[in-house]
Each structure stands twice: as C-alpha cells, then as structure tokens.
Amino acid sequence: PSATPVLSQCLGTLNLLENKCMEKKRTEFDKADNLRAAVFQNWLEKKKLFLMELKRTEKEKAENLRNDTEKKEALRREESIACFEAWKEKKAREAKKLSEKKKLEEKTPAEQNKEKTEAAQVAFKRWKEKKVEYLREQSRKEKESERIRKEKEEELIAEKRRISISAVEKWNEKKEEYIKKKKVEKFLERKKQEMQQAKKEEKNEKAMEEYERWLENKERREELEKKQRKMQSVHGNEMSPPWRPP
C-alpha cells in the first residue's frame, strides 16, 4: 500500500523532467529557426543590394553607350558639315577663278596690262611692307640678342669678380692663418731655445761649481800633502802618513 504514492511521485517527477527536456529542445529549435531566419534575411538583403548594384551598373553602361553613340553621331554630323563646307568653299573658289578667267578673256589687252600693272604694284607694296616688317623684326631680335649677350657677359664678369674676391679672401685667410702659425712656431722655437739655453747655462753653472769644488778639494789635498811632507821631514819616519785611497 505504501509503494503506490512513491510510484506516483516518481512518475510525476519523470513527467516534469520530460516536459523540461521538451521545453529545452523546443527552445533550442526556436533558436535554430531564428538563426536560420536571420541568415536568410541577411542573404535576402545582400541579394537585394546585389541586384540593385547590378541594375545600376547596367543602367550606367546603357547610359554610357547612349552617350558614346550620340557623340559619334554628333562627330559624324560635324565631319559631314565640315566636308560640305569645304566642298562649298572649293566650288566657290573654282567659280570665282572661272569668273575672273572669263572677265580676263572679255577684257582688252590694255585693260589686262593695266590690271596686271596694278596687281604688280599691289604685290610690290605688300612685299615692301613685309620686308620692312621683316627687317624691323630682325633688328628687334638682334637688339634682344645683343642685350641678352651683354647681360650674360656682365653676369660672367660679376661671377668671375665674385670668384676672384672669394679666392683673395680665402688666400688672405690662409695667409693670416699661416702667419699666425709661423708666429706660434717661432714663439715656441724661441721658448725652446731659451729653455735649452737656460738648461745649458744651468749645466755650465753646475759644471763650474763642480770644477770649483774639485779645485778647492785639490788645493786642500795639496795643502794637506804639503803639511804632511813637512811634518815627515821634521819627524822623519816616526809617523807614517795616513792611508789615502788612490
């Protein structure tokens, strides 16, 4: 009788655990679905952006193609118009020449000579004006060339003067440095000679003092020897002279 409540309690616990497990799995499934939905939504947005970019690129290509076509058509029209204008000018020149030729043929030799003379005078006048202009331009160019040459010569002379002045200044600096160096060398040499002379004089003084001491000692020894000989001559061989090193 006591086993039934225990079994019911165990079954209730198992049902509760199973429900919790099912809820956990359901939560995990929901999370996975949400993740899939988020990934799919991201993919849709990227696809939408890609399609929009593709459409924009195609639109730009179509616009560029249309612009290129319009430019080519405009260029072709301009070339056609230019060719037509050139053809018109050529025809007009040919018609003018033909008209002038007909007029010359219709005129008398005197009129033709007069026109030729007038044309020659006009041509000579133009040639003279062109020659005067050419000579004036040549004179201007020569003056400009002379001015540039003089400026270059002046710049060259100024540069040479600057170089000479710089060289003289450097030479003077080197000369002053050399003179200072020689003065220092002479001063040091004079000091050296004075020191050598002082040492030599000091050495001579010491030698003289040594000689004087030696001479004084020699005189003392001679005086002592003289006294000893005198005493020996007085006392005979009673007293032997003290031993003295040689």
Side-chain angles (χ1 to χ4, degrees), residues 188-200:
L188 294 175
E189 184 67 23
R190 188 169 62 252
K191 285 292 183 181
K192 185 178 179 181
Q193 290 179 358
E194 289 177 357
M195 290 176 67
Q196 289 179 353
Q197 185 67 25
K199 287 181 180 180
K200 187 176 180 181

Side-chain angles (χ1 to χ4, degrees), residues 3-45:
T4 302
V6 174
L7 182 60
S8 300
Q9 187 177 0
C10 289
L11 290 174
T13 304
L14 290 174
N15 290 328
L16 182 62
L17 291 174
E18 187 177 359
N19 291 331
K20 287 183 179 180
C21 184
M22 291 298 292
E23 289 178 359
K24 185 177 180 182
K25 287 181 180 180
R26 190 179 298 109
T27 304
E28 291 176 357
F29 290 154
D30 292 339
K31 288 182 180 179
D33 290 338
N34 293 332
L35 183 60
R36 291 192 192 95
V39 171
F40 181 72
Q41 187 67 29
N42 189 16
W43 177 79
L44 284 177
E45 291 177 358

Side-chain angles (χ1 to χ4, degrees), residues 229-240:
R229 283 196 299 272
K230 187 176 180 181
M231 290 178 67
Q232 188 176 5
S233 62
V234 174
H235 297 287
N237 294 327
E238 293 179 2
M239 294 180 63
S240 61

